[in-house]
Each structure stands twice: as structure tokens, then as C-alpha cells.
Amino acid sequence: MVDGNRVTGAARELGGKVQGAFGDLTGSQGDAAEGRLREVAGRAENIYGQAKDAARHAADEAYDTAEDLYDRGRRTLQEGHERSVEWPHTSLVVAGLIGFGLGLLVRGRN
């Protein structure tokens, strides 16, 4: 989806170019200057809209990546749970070794 600032900015930029060219053709310094001013304002609004679109796109990408990582983590935890149910003795040995290692770390700090 394109930001509205891009559309209105492009329209103002085009209108400013037309007004500036009309001012140049007719020799009207006021119309030429006002046209150039509208053109620059339209270009700035268009760039602002592009920045908003880029920020929205980056946020969408970050959300999609976070959602993917969450799903991967959930699947990994589910697989780990299923393995621990299949091999309960192995799970107890691993948990015991982790507890023993943590006990050594805590004891070593005293």
C-alpha cells in the first residue's frame, strides 16, 4: 500500500512543474517562483511518504521475522519435550549433570 503523502506529493510536484513552466512561458516571475516552490514542497512530501513506506515495510519485516523465530522456538521446545518423554532416564541424567555443574559453580564462589 502506498502512503497518501506520496500521492499528494507527486501531484503537487507535477502541478508545480506545470505552473513553473507556465510562468516561464508567459514571463510571469510570480507564477514561475510559486510553481518552483510548489514543486519543491511536493517533492519533500513525496520523500516523506517514501520514508513512511520504508519504515512500515521494515516494521512488517521485523514482525514476520519475530513470528518465524517464535514458531521455530515453539517447535524446538515441543521436539525437546517429546524426546524427554521418549527417553525419561536420559532426561534425568542430563538434568542431574546440569544440577551438579550448577552446584559446583555456586560452591566455588564461596
Side-chain angles (χ1 to χ4, degrees), residues 42-91:
R43 187 173 302 140
E45 188 173 3
N46 190 349
I47 291 170
Y48 174 69
Q50 289 175 10
K52 283 174 54 178
D53 281 344
R56 187 178 304 113
H57 178 71
D60 289 344
E61 289 290 321
Y63 177 82
D64 291 343
T65 301
E67 190 173 43
D68 184 46
L69 288 174
Y70 175 79
D71 288 340
R72 282 190 209 173
R74 187 181 47 77
R75 284 192 304 268
T76 301
L77 285 175
Q78 183 65 31
E79 290 170 5
H81 172 71
E82 290 170 2
R83 285 193 185 110
S84 70
V85 170
E86 292 173 8
W87 298 87
H89 296 93
T90 305
S91 299

mmCIF file of all heavy atoms in Angstrom, residues 42-91:
data_model
loop_
_atom_site.group_PDB
_atom_site.id
_atom_site.type_symbol
_atom_site.label_atom_id
_atom_site.label_comp_id
_atom_site.label_asym_id
_atom_site.label_seq_id
_atom_site.Cartn_x
_atom_site.Cartn_y
_atom_site.Cartn_z
ATOM 1 N N GLY A 42 6.144 19.601 -2.969
ATOM 2 C CA GLY A 42 5.613 18.304 -3.383
ATOM 3 C C GLY A 42 6.666 17.225 -3.339
ATOM 4 O O GLY A 42 6.400 16.100 -2.914
ATOM 5 N N ARG A 43 7.879 17.549 -3.768
ATOM 6 C CA ARG A 43 8.965 16.575 -3.734
ATOM 7 C C ARG A 43 9.283 16.181 -2.284
ATOM 8 O O ARG A 43 9.491 15.011 -1.975
ATOM 9 C CB ARG A 43 10.211 17.143 -4.409
ATOM 10 C CG ARG A 43 11.315 16.117 -4.562
ATOM 11 C CD ARG A 43 12.496 16.624 -5.375
ATOM 12 N NE ARG A 43 12.058 17.047 -6.689
ATOM 13 C CZ ARG A 43 12.516 18.139 -7.314
ATOM 14 N NH1 ARG A 43 13.417 18.895 -6.731
ATOM 15 N NH2 ARG A 43 12.075 18.465 -8.509
ATOM 16 N N ALA A 44 9.281 17.176 -1.381
ATOM 17 C CA ALA A 44 9.546 16.886 0.031
ATOM 18 C C ALA A 44 8.455 15.998 0.617
ATOM 19 O O ALA A 44 8.743 15.054 1.373
ATOM 20 C CB ALA A 44 9.650 18.186 0.820
ATOM 21 N N GLU A 45 7.195 16.273 0.285
ATOM 22 C CA GLU A 45 6.099 15.441 0.784
ATOM 23 C C GLU A 45 6.191 14.021 0.223
ATOM 24 O O GLU A 45 5.932 13.043 0.930
ATOM 25 C CB GLU A 45 4.752 16.062 0.428
ATOM 26 C CG GLU A 45 3.588 15.364 1.058
ATOM 27 C CD GLU A 45 2.266 16.076 0.837
ATOM 28 O OE1 GLU A 45 2.225 17.106 0.138
ATOM 29 O OE2 GLU A 45 1.270 15.580 1.375
ATOM 30 N N ASN A 46 6.576 13.901 -1.018
ATOM 31 C CA ASN A 46 6.749 12.593 -1.637
ATOM 32 C C ASN A 46 7.855 11.806 -0.923
ATOM 33 O O ASN A 46 7.700 10.625 -0.617
ATOM 34 C CB ASN A 46 7.077 12.763 -3.122
ATOM 35 C CG ASN A 46 7.045 11.455 -3.882
ATOM 36 O OD1 ASN A 46 6.975 10.387 -3.316
ATOM 37 N ND2 ASN A 46 7.104 11.556 -5.191
ATOM 38 N N ILE A 47 8.963 12.460 -0.634
ATOM 39 C CA ILE A 47 10.074 11.805 0.070
ATOM 40 C C ILE A 47 9.638 11.397 1.471
ATOM 41 O O ILE A 47 9.979 10.312 1.950
ATOM 42 C CB ILE A 47 11.312 12.725 0.108
ATOM 43 C CG1 ILE A 47 11.890 12.852 -1.306
ATOM 44 C CG2 ILE A 47 12.361 12.213 1.089
ATOM 45 C CD1 ILE A 47 12.961 13.901 -1.452
ATOM 46 N N TYR A 48 8.849 12.242 2.137
ATOM 47 C CA TYR A 48 8.321 11.907 3.458
ATOM 48 C C TYR A 48 7.445 10.652 3.375
ATOM 49 O O TYR A 48 7.548 9.757 4.209
ATOM 50 C CB TYR A 48 7.528 13.093 4.013
ATOM 51 C CG TYR A 48 6.812 12.816 5.305
ATOM 52 C CD1 TYR A 48 7.512 12.624 6.481
ATOM 53 C CD2 TYR A 48 5.426 12.747 5.342
ATOM 54 C CE1 TYR A 48 6.850 12.370 7.664
ATOM 55 C CE2 TYR A 48 4.754 12.495 6.525
ATOM 56 C CZ TYR A 48 5.480 12.314 7.685
ATOM 57 O OH TYR A 48 4.810 12.057 8.858
ATOM 58 N N GLY A 49 6.607 10.574 2.365
ATOM 59 C CA GLY A 49 5.768 9.392 2.172
ATOM 60 C C GLY A 49 6.592 8.149 1.895
ATOM 61 O O GLY A 49 6.274 7.057 2.376
ATOM 62 N N GLN A 50 7.666 8.297 1.133
ATOM 63 C CA GLN A 50 8.545 7.160 0.861
ATOM 64 C C GLN A 50 9.209 6.672 2.143
ATOM 65 O O GLN A 50 9.352 5.460 2.361
ATOM 66 C CB GLN A 50 9.607 7.552 -0.161
ATOM 67 C CG GLN A 50 9.071 7.742 -1.557
ATOM 68 C CD GLN A 50 10.131 8.255 -2.519
ATOM 69 O OE1 GLN A 50 11.311 8.311 -2.208
ATOM 70 N NE2 GLN A 50 9.705 8.640 -3.714
ATOM 71 N N ALA A 51 9.602 7.612 3.010
ATOM 72 C CA ALA A 51 10.222 7.228 4.285
ATOM 73 C C ALA A 51 9.215 6.490 5.166
ATOM 74 O O ALA A 51 9.567 5.498 5.819
ATOM 75 C CB ALA A 51 10.752 8.466 5.003
ATOM 76 N N LYS A 52 7.970 6.961 5.174
ATOM 77 C CA LYS A 52 6.936 6.271 5.953
ATOM 78 C C LYS A 52 6.705 4.868 5.404
ATOM 79 O O LYS A 52 6.544 3.910 6.175
ATOM 80 C CB LYS A 52 5.635 7.073 5.935
ATOM 81 C CG LYS A 52 5.667 8.272 6.858
ATOM 82 C CD LYS A 52 4.453 9.173 6.748
ATOM 83 C CE LYS A 52 3.134 8.519 6.919
ATOM 84 N NZ LYS A 52 2.002 9.457 6.854
ATOM 85 N N ASP A 53 6.677 4.729 4.094
ATOM 86 C CA ASP A 53 6.513 3.402 3.483
ATOM 87 C C ASP A 53 7.683 2.481 3.850
ATOM 88 O O ASP A 53 7.487 1.304 4.158
ATOM 89 C CB ASP A 53 6.418 3.511 1.959
ATOM 90 C CG ASP A 53 5.050 3.936 1.479
ATOM 91 O OD1 ASP A 53 4.081 3.858 2.273
ATOM 92 O OD2 ASP A 53 4.940 4.344 0.308
ATOM 93 N N ALA A 54 8.902 3.019 3.822
ATOM 94 C CA ALA A 54 10.076 2.215 4.156
ATOM 95 C C ALA A 54 10.036 1.777 5.619
ATOM 96 O O ALA A 54 10.352 0.625 5.940
ATOM 97 C CB ALA A 54 11.361 2.998 3.870
ATOM 98 N N ALA A 55 9.623 2.677 6.511
ATOM 99 C CA ALA A 55 9.525 2.330 7.930
ATOM 100 C C ALA A 55 8.450 1.269 8.145
ATOM 101 O O ALA A 55 8.643 0.321 8.924
ATOM 102 C CB ALA A 55 9.228 3.573 8.757
ATOM 103 N N ARG A 56 7.329 1.415 7.465
ATOM 104 C CA ARG A 56 6.249 0.425 7.584
ATOM 105 C C ARG A 56 6.718 -0.933 7.071
ATOM 106 O O ARG A 56 6.462 -1.966 7.681
ATOM 107 C CB ARG A 56 5.020 0.896 6.805
ATOM 108 C CG ARG A 56 3.798 0.018 6.998
ATOM 109 C CD ARG A 56 2.576 0.521 6.248
ATOM 110 N NE ARG A 56 2.227 1.886 6.594
ATOM 111 C CZ ARG A 56 2.307 2.933 5.773
ATOM 112 N NH1 ARG A 56 2.711 2.773 4.536
ATOM 113 N NH2 ARG A 56 1.980 4.141 6.174
ATOM 114 N N HIS A 57 7.449 -0.927 5.962
ATOM 115 C CA HIS A 57 7.958 -2.175 5.392
ATOM 116 C C HIS A 57 8.956 -2.834 6.350
ATOM 117 O O HIS A 57 8.923 -4.046 6.557
ATOM 118 C CB HIS A 57 8.617 -1.901 4.039
ATOM 119 C CG HIS A 57 9.207 -3.111 3.401
ATOM 120 N ND1 HIS A 57 8.449 -4.125 2.878
ATOM 121 C CD2 HIS A 57 10.501 -3.475 3.223
ATOM 122 C CE1 HIS A 57 9.239 -5.066 2.404
ATOM 123 N NE2 HIS A 57 10.491 -4.698 2.600
ATOM 124 N N ALA A 58 9.847 -2.030 6.945
ATOM 125 C CA ALA A 58 10.829 -2.577 7.884
ATOM 126 C C ALA A 58 10.133 -3.154 9.118
ATOM 127 O O ALA A 58 10.523 -4.220 9.614
ATOM 128 C CB ALA A 58 11.827 -1.494 8.298
ATOM 129 N N ALA A 59 9.100 -2.482 9.603
ATOM 130 C CA ALA A 59 8.360 -2.990 10.761
ATOM 131 C C ALA A 59 7.652 -4.296 10.418
ATOM 132 O O ALA A 59 7.638 -5.235 11.231
ATOM 133 C CB ALA A 59 7.357 -1.950 11.247
ATOM 134 N N ASP A 60 7.085 -4.373 9.226
ATOM 135 C CA ASP A 60 6.430 -5.614 8.802
ATOM 136 C C ASP A 60 7.434 -6.761 8.695
ATOM 137 O O ASP A 60 7.148 -7.890 9.110
ATOM 138 C CB ASP A 60 5.724 -5.429 7.455
ATOM 139 C CG ASP A 60 4.484 -4.554 7.552
ATOM 140 O OD1 ASP A 60 3.993 -4.344 8.688
ATOM 141 O OD2 ASP A 60 4.012 -4.094 6.491
ATOM 142 N N GLU A 61 8.606 -6.476 8.152
ATOM 143 C CA GLU A 61 9.647 -7.499 8.040
ATOM 144 C C GLU A 61 10.098 -7.963 9.420
ATOM 145 O O GLU A 61 10.296 -9.158 9.646
ATOM 146 C CB GLU A 61 10.849 -6.965 7.248
ATOM 147 C CG GLU A 61 10.592 -6.782 5.778
ATOM 148 C CD GLU A 61 10.448 -8.102 5.052
ATOM 149 O OE1 GLU A 61 11.188 -9.053 5.371
ATOM 150 O OE2 GLU A 61 9.594 -8.182 4.157
ATOM 151 N N ALA A 62 10.279 -7.021 10.350
ATOM 152 C CA ALA A 62 10.696 -7.382 11.705
ATOM 153 C C ALA A 62 9.631 -8.237 12.380
ATOM 154 O O ALA A 62 9.953 -9.222 13.067
ATOM 155 C CB ALA A 62 10.976 -6.125 12.526
ATOM 156 N N TYR A 63 8.369 -7.888 12.187
ATOM 157 C CA TYR A 63 7.279 -8.666 12.779
ATOM 158 C C TYR A 63 7.268 -10.083 12.211
ATOM 159 O O TYR A 63 7.134 -11.052 12.957
ATOM 160 C CB TYR A 63 5.944 -7.977 12.517
ATOM 161 C CG TYR A 63 4.769 -8.752 13.047
ATOM 162 C CD1 TYR A 63 4.408 -8.668 14.377
ATOM 163 C CD2 TYR A 63 4.017 -9.575 12.209
ATOM 164 C CE1 TYR A 63 3.337 -9.389 14.878
ATOM 165 C CE2 TYR A 63 2.956 -10.308 12.693
ATOM 166 C CZ TYR A 63 2.615 -10.206 14.023
ATOM 167 O OH TYR A 63 1.556 -10.927 14.513
ATOM 168 N N ASP A 64 7.408 -10.191 10.906
ATOM 169 C CA ASP A 64 7.416 -11.516 10.275
ATOM 170 C C ASP A 64 8.594 -12.365 10.765
ATOM 171 O O ASP A 64 8.449 -13.563 11.021
ATOM 172 C CB ASP A 64 7.465 -11.394 8.752
ATOM 173 C CG ASP A 64 6.183 -10.827 8.163
ATOM 174 O OD1 ASP A 64 5.144 -10.833 8.875
ATOM 175 O OD2 ASP A 64 6.224 -10.369 7.005
ATOM 176 N N THR A 65 9.761 -11.735 10.904
ATOM 177 C CA THR A 65 10.935 -12.460 11.387
ATOM 178 C C THR A 65 10.733 -12.914 12.825
ATOM 179 O O THR A 65 11.051 -14.058 13.170
ATOM 180 C CB THR A 65 12.193 -11.576 11.276
ATOM 181 O OG1 THR A 65 12.373 -11.203 9.906
ATOM 182 C CG2 THR A 65 13.429 -12.302 11.765
ATOM 183 N N ALA A 66 10.204 -12.037 13.671
ATOM 184 C CA ALA A 66 9.958 -12.403 15.068
ATOM 185 C C ALA A 66 8.938 -13.531 15.165
ATOM 186 O O ALA A 66 9.100 -14.459 15.967
ATOM 187 C CB ALA A 66 9.483 -11.181 15.849
ATOM 188 N N GLU A 67 7.912 -13.463 14.346
ATOM 189 C CA GLU A 67 6.896 -14.510 14.348
ATOM 190 C C GLU A 67 7.501 -15.851 13.913
ATOM 191 O O GLU A 67 7.222 -16.894 14.517
ATOM 192 C CB GLU A 67 5.754 -14.114 13.422
ATOM 193 C CG GLU A 67 4.532 -14.978 13.513
ATOM 194 C CD GLU A 67 3.384 -14.426 12.687
ATOM 195 O OE1 GLU A 67 3.626 -13.988 11.530
ATOM 196 O OE2 GLU A 67 2.267 -14.431 13.195
ATOM 197 N N ASP A 68 8.366 -15.809 12.910
ATOM 198 C CA ASP A 68 9.033 -17.026 12.440
ATOM 199 C C ASP A 68 9.938 -17.601 13.526
ATOM 200 O O ASP A 68 9.945 -18.819 13.769
ATOM 201 C CB ASP A 68 9.835 -16.719 11.175
ATOM 202 C CG ASP A 68 10.464 -17.962 10.580
ATOM 203 O OD1 ASP A 68 9.759 -18.986 10.465
ATOM 204 O OD2 ASP A 68 11.661 -17.899 10.225
ATOM 205 N N LEU A 69 10.702 -16.741 14.196
ATOM 206 C CA LEU A 69 11.578 -17.208 15.267
ATOM 207 C C LEU A 69 10.775 -17.795 16.425
ATOM 208 O O LEU A 69 11.167 -18.804 17.019
ATOM 209 C CB LEU A 69 12.460 -16.068 15.769
ATOM 210 C CG LEU A 69 13.565 -15.620 14.822
ATOM 211 C CD1 LEU A 69 14.262 -14.386 15.368
ATOM 212 C CD2 LEU A 69 14.568 -16.735 14.604
ATOM 213 N N TYR A 70 9.655 -17.173 16.746
ATOM 214 C CA TYR A 70 8.796 -17.694 17.807
ATOM 215 C C TYR A 70 8.290 -19.092 17.442
ATOM 216 O O TYR A 70 8.316 -20.003 18.270
ATOM 217 C CB TYR A 70 7.618 -16.748 18.036
ATOM 218 C CG TYR A 70 6.617 -17.271 19.035
ATOM 219 C CD1 TYR A 70 6.859 -17.177 20.401
ATOM 220 C CD2 TYR A 70 5.439 -17.876 18.614
ATOM 221 C CE1 TYR A 70 5.954 -17.672 21.317
ATOM 222 C CE2 TYR A 70 4.530 -18.377 19.521
ATOM 223 C CZ TYR A 70 4.786 -18.264 20.879
ATOM 224 O OH TYR A 70 3.887 -18.770 21.777
ATOM 225 N N ASP A 71 7.848 -19.258 16.205
ATOM 226 C CA ASP A 71 7.359 -20.570 15.770
ATOM 227 C C ASP A 71 8.467 -21.622 15.802
ATOM 228 O O ASP A 71 8.245 -22.765 16.214
ATOM 229 C CB ASP A 71 6.764 -20.488 14.362
ATOM 230 C CG ASP A 71 5.426 -19.759 14.333
ATOM 231 O OD1 ASP A 71 4.776 -19.661 15.404
ATOM 232 O OD2 ASP A 71 5.039 -19.294 13.247
ATOM 233 N N ARG A 72 9.662 -21.250 15.374
ATOM 234 C CA ARG A 72 10.787 -22.193 15.416
ATOM 235 C C ARG A 72 11.111 -22.594 16.848
ATOM 236 O O ARG A 72 11.354 -23.763 17.134
ATOM 237 C CB ARG A 72 12.031 -21.566 14.786
ATOM 238 C CG ARG A 72 12.025 -21.547 13.296
ATOM 239 C CD ARG A 72 13.394 -21.140 12.813
ATOM 240 N NE ARG A 72 13.290 -20.470 11.534
ATOM 241 C CZ ARG A 72 14.305 -19.892 10.927
ATOM 242 N NH1 ARG A 72 15.496 -19.878 11.501
ATOM 243 N NH2 ARG A 72 14.147 -19.321 9.760
ATOM 244 N N GLY A 73 11.131 -21.628 17.758
ATOM 245 C CA GLY A 73 11.407 -21.915 19.156
ATOM 246 C C GLY A 73 10.351 -22.831 19.764
ATOM 247 O O GLY A 73 10.661 -23.757 20.518
ATOM 248 N N ARG A 74 9.092 -22.555 19.423
ATOM 249 C CA ARG A 74 7.999 -23.385 19.924
ATOM 250 C C ARG A 74 8.141 -24.821 19.428
ATOM 251 O O ARG A 74 8.001 -25.770 20.200
ATOM 252 C CB ARG A 74 6.661 -22.794 19.489
ATOM 253 C CG ARG A 74 5.447 -23.476 20.086
ATOM 254 C CD ARG A 74 4.147 -22.865 19.589
ATOM 255 N NE ARG A 74 4.075 -22.664 18.150
ATOM 256 C CZ ARG A 74 3.853 -23.628 17.259
ATOM 257 N NH1 ARG A 74 3.693 -24.856 17.658
ATOM 258 N NH2 ARG A 74 3.803 -23.358 15.979
ATOM 259 N N ARG A 75 8.461 -24.982 18.142
ATOM 260 C CA ARG A 75 8.650 -26.332 17.593
ATOM 261 C C ARG A 75 9.839 -27.035 18.242
ATOM 262 O O ARG A 75 9.773 -28.225 18.548
ATOM 263 C CB ARG A 75 8.834 -26.265 16.079
ATOM 264 C CG ARG A 75 7.550 -26.027 15.315
ATOM 265 C CD ARG A 75 7.747 -26.263 13.828
ATOM 266 N NE ARG A 75 8.804 -25.462 13.251
ATOM 267 C CZ ARG A 75 8.628 -24.260 12.697
ATOM 268 N NH1 ARG A 75 7.423 -23.715 12.665
ATOM 269 N NH2 ARG A 75 9.634 -23.609 12.180
ATOM 270 N N THR A 76 10.928 -26.303 18.469
ATOM 271 C CA THR A 76 12.102 -26.894 19.100
ATOM 272 C C THR A 76 11.792 -27.348 20.519
ATOM 273 O O THR A 76 12.190 -28.443 20.934
ATOM 274 C CB THR A 76 13.268 -25.883 19.108
ATOM 275 O OG1 THR A 76 13.554 -25.504 17.759
ATOM 276 C CG2 THR A 76 14.514 -26.470 19.735
ATOM 277 N N LEU A 77 11.061 -26.518 21.260
ATOM 278 C CA LEU A 77 10.679 -26.918 22.618
ATOM 279 C C LEU A 77 9.760 -28.132 22.597
ATOM 280 O O LEU A 77 9.886 -29.036 23.438
ATOM 281 C CB LEU A 77 9.993 -25.758 23.339
ATOM 282 C CG LEU A 77 10.912 -24.641 23.813
ATOM 283 C CD1 LEU A 77 10.098 -23.498 24.401
ATOM 284 C CD2 LEU A 77 11.899 -25.155 24.835
ATOM 285 N N GLN A 78 8.855 -28.162 21.650
ATOM 286 C CA GLN A 78 7.945 -29.304 21.542
ATOM 287 C C GLN A 78 8.724 -30.586 21.229
ATOM 288 O O GLN A 78 8.471 -31.633 21.814
ATOM 289 C CB GLN A 78 6.888 -29.048 20.458
ATOM 290 C CG GLN A 78 5.859 -30.148 20.322
ATOM 291 C CD GLN A 78 4.995 -30.292 21.552
ATOM 292 O OE1 GLN A 78 4.728 -29.334 22.256
ATOM 293 N NE2 GLN A 78 4.577 -31.505 21.830
ATOM 294 N N GLU A 79 9.686 -30.481 20.315
ATOM 295 C CA GLU A 79 10.512 -31.644 19.984
ATOM 296 C C GLU A 79 11.333 -32.092 21.185
ATOM 297 O O GLU A 79 11.471 -33.300 21.446
ATOM 298 C CB GLU A 79 11.433 -31.326 18.805
ATOM 299 C CG GLU A 79 10.716 -31.172 17.486
ATOM 300 C CD GLU A 79 11.615 -30.619 16.391
ATOM 301 O OE1 GLU A 79 12.827 -30.439 16.639
ATOM 302 O OE2 GLU A 79 11.100 -30.366 15.289
ATOM 303 N N GLY A 80 11.875 -31.144 21.937
ATOM 304 C CA GLY A 80 12.623 -31.492 23.138
ATOM 305 C C GLY A 80 11.746 -32.176 24.169
ATOM 306 O O GLY A 80 12.168 -33.147 24.818
ATOM 307 N N HIS A 81 10.531 -31.689 24.318
ATOM 308 C CA HIS A 81 9.598 -32.320 25.252
ATOM 309 C C HIS A 81 9.278 -33.750 24.818
ATOM 310 O O HIS A 81 9.264 -34.668 25.642
ATOM 311 C CB HIS A 81 8.318 -31.498 25.348
ATOM 312 C CG HIS A 81 7.233 -32.172 26.127
ATOM 313 N ND1 HIS A 81 7.299 -32.340 27.484
ATOM 314 C CD2 HIS A 81 6.079 -32.765 25.720
ATOM 315 C CE1 HIS A 81 6.220 -32.980 27.893
ATOM 316 N NE2 HIS A 81 5.464 -33.253 26.848
ATOM 317 N N GLU A 82 9.038 -33.923 23.527
ATOM 318 C CA GLU A 82 8.726 -35.264 23.023
ATOM 319 C C GLU A 82 9.898 -36.214 23.245
ATOM 320 O O GLU A 82 9.711 -37.383 23.604
ATOM 321 C CB GLU A 82 8.349 -35.197 21.549
ATOM 322 C CG GLU A 82 7.002 -34.525 21.313
ATOM 323 C CD GLU A 82 6.731 -34.241 19.847
ATOM 324 O OE1 GLU A 82 7.581 -34.594 18.994
ATOM 325 O OE2 GLU A 82 5.680 -33.643 19.570
ATOM 326 N N ARG A 83 11.126 -35.746 23.051
ATOM 327 C CA ARG A 83 12.303 -36.593 23.282
ATOM 328 C C ARG A 83 12.450 -36.935 24.763
ATOM 329 O O ARG A 83 12.845 -38.045 25.116
ATOM 330 C CB ARG A 83 13.558 -35.890 22.779
ATOM 331 C CG ARG A 83 13.674 -35.912 21.283
ATOM 332 C CD ARG A 83 15.058 -35.503 20.828
ATOM 333 N NE ARG A 83 15.092 -35.418 19.397
ATOM 334 C CZ ARG A 83 15.199 -34.296 18.703
ATOM 335 N NH1 ARG A 83 15.294 -33.153 19.338
ATOM 336 N NH2 ARG A 83 15.224 -34.305 17.402
ATOM 337 N N SER A 84 12.156 -35.963 25.625
ATOM 338 C CA SER A 84 12.285 -36.249 27.052
ATOM 339 C C SER A 84 11.242 -37.257 27.508
ATOM 340 O O SER A 84 11.497 -38.031 28.435
ATOM 341 C CB SER A 84 12.173 -34.962 27.879
ATOM 342 O OG SER A 84 10.851 -34.458 27.848
ATOM 343 N N VAL A 85 10.080 -37.277 26.864
ATOM 344 C CA VAL A 85 9.065 -38.272 27.190
ATOM 345 C C VAL A 85 9.504 -39.640 26.682
ATOM 346 O O VAL A 85 9.300 -40.661 27.363
ATOM 347 C CB VAL A 85 7.689 -37.860 26.601
ATOM 348 C CG1 VAL A 85 6.683 -38.979 26.706
ATOM 349 C CG2 VAL A 85 7.179 -36.609 27.300
ATOM 350 N N GLU A 86 10.141 -39.682 25.517
ATOM 351 C CA GLU A 86 10.599 -40.954 24.951
ATOM 352 C C GLU A 86 11.781 -41.530 25.730
ATOM 353 O O GLU A 86 11.921 -42.743 25.847
ATOM 354 C CB GLU A 86 11.011 -40.758 23.488
ATOM 355 C CG GLU A 86 9.855 -40.443 22.563
ATOM 356 C CD GLU A 86 10.331 -40.078 21.162
ATOM 357 O OE1 GLU A 86 11.543 -40.214 20.884
ATOM 358 O OE2 GLU A 86 9.494 -39.654 20.363
ATOM 359 N N TRP A 87 12.643 -40.680 26.246
ATOM 360 C CA TRP A 87 13.856 -41.104 26.948
ATOM 361 C C TRP A 87 13.898 -40.465 28.341
ATOM 362 O O TRP A 87 14.749 -39.613 28.624
ATOM 363 C CB TRP A 87 15.091 -40.673 26.151
ATOM 364 C CG TRP A 87 15.172 -41.282 24.802
ATOM 365 C CD1 TRP A 87 14.610 -40.823 23.662
ATOM 366 C CD2 TRP A 87 15.845 -42.483 24.463
ATOM 367 N NE1 TRP A 87 14.891 -41.661 22.617
ATOM 368 C CE2 TRP A 87 15.653 -42.696 23.087
ATOM 369 C CE3 TRP A 87 16.591 -43.405 25.188
ATOM 370 C CZ2 TRP A 87 16.173 -43.781 22.424
ATOM 371 C CZ3 TRP A 87 17.122 -44.486 24.523
ATOM 372 C CH2 TRP A 87 16.910 -44.673 23.159
ATOM 373 N N PRO A 88 13.046 -40.885 29.247
ATOM 374 C CA PRO A 88 12.998 -40.233 30.563
ATOM 375 C C PRO A 88 14.286 -40.412 31.374
ATOM 376 O O PRO A 88 14.689 -39.493 32.093
ATOM 377 C CB PRO A 88 11.811 -40.893 31.259
ATOM 378 C CG PRO A 88 11.603 -42.176 30.561
ATOM 379 C CD PRO A 88 12.073 -41.968 29.149
ATOM 380 N N HIS A 89 14.945 -41.541 31.246
ATOM 381 C CA HIS A 89 16.176 -41.765 32.012
ATOM 382 C C HIS A 89 17.290 -40.833 31.548
ATOM 383 O O HIS A 89 18.045 -40.291 32.360
ATOM 384 C CB HIS A 89 16.617 -43.233 31.920
ATOM 385 C CG HIS A 89 15.635 -44.160 32.547
ATOM 386 N ND1 HIS A 89 14.630 -44.777 31.824
ATOM 387 C CD2 HIS A 89 15.465 -44.548 33.835
ATOM 388 C CE1 HIS A 89 13.905 -45.516 32.630
ATOM 389 N NE2 HIS A 89 14.390 -45.404 33.875
ATOM 390 N N THR A 90 17.381 -40.656 30.252
ATOM 391 C CA THR A 90 18.388 -39.745 29.707
ATOM 392 C C THR A 90 18.116 -38.326 30.180
ATOM 393 O O THR A 90 19.044 -37.596 30.540
ATOM 394 C CB THR A 90 18.384 -39.801 28.159
ATOM 395 O OG1 THR A 90 18.554 -41.157 27.758
ATOM 396 C CG2 THR A 90 19.460 -38.928 27.578
ATOM 397 N N SER A 91 16.835 -37.931 30.195
ATOM 398 C CA SER A 91 16.476 -36.594 30.665
ATOM 399 C C SER A 91 16.874 -36.404 32.116
ATOM 400 O O SER A 91 17.356 -35.342 32.510
ATOM 401 C CB SER A 91 14.977 -36.367 30.509
ATOM 402 O OG SER A 91 14.597 -36.461 29.168
#
